[in-house]
Amino acid sequence: MVYVNLMLGLGMVLVSVATAFYLNSRHTLEPRLEPRPRCAVCLEEMFYGDMHYMKCGHALHKACFQEFRYVNKNCFVCNKLINANLPGDLCTICFDPLYKSNMSHLICNHALHTKCLKEYVDKGARNCPVCRMELEGTRIS
Ligand SMILES: [Zn+2]
Ligand SMILES: [Zn+2]
Ligand SMILES: [Zn+2]
Ligand SMILES: [Zn+2]
């Protein structure tokens, strides 16, 4: 019985040594440089000048974000709501559906028809009609 216990104990030691060795060697094989972050849309690496940070803290390529904001409401990584309005949603001002070609995003990520937004701002409004966030910095294009 003592003999069996001894063998078992020895076996355990060998396994843990082997595991430690394996983990250690694997660790040293890993590249030292941090991998560049990858864009969740196109899965390509991102460079710092070409990243758009969303309000959840995740980033996409600037161009990929411009596509993403018309197709998906939630961040692909953490699933937080990023784009409040997609094409097909109704404009808060005129209640007609929005289309990619005629909608503009506010800084809060709500969207309205470009025309409706222009008229709204021309009337002197300074806040998003949906969430009341200040429109300062919103580009009307
Ligand atoms: Zn991308
Ligand atoms: Zn996210
Ligand atoms: Zn409208
Ligand atoms: Zn808003």
Side-chain angles (χ1 to χ4, degrees), residues 54 56-58 75-80 82:
M54 300 181 283
C56 61
H58 291 115
C75 170
F76 289 131
V77 183
C78 66
N79 220 30
K80 277 213 181 89
I82 302 296

Side-chain angles (χ1 to χ4, degrees), residues 39-46 60-65:
C39 168
V41 172
C42 68
L43 307 178
E44 299 286 330
E45 293 182 342
M46 291 185 287
L60 300 173
H61 287 118
K62 285 177 180 170
C64 293
F65 177 73

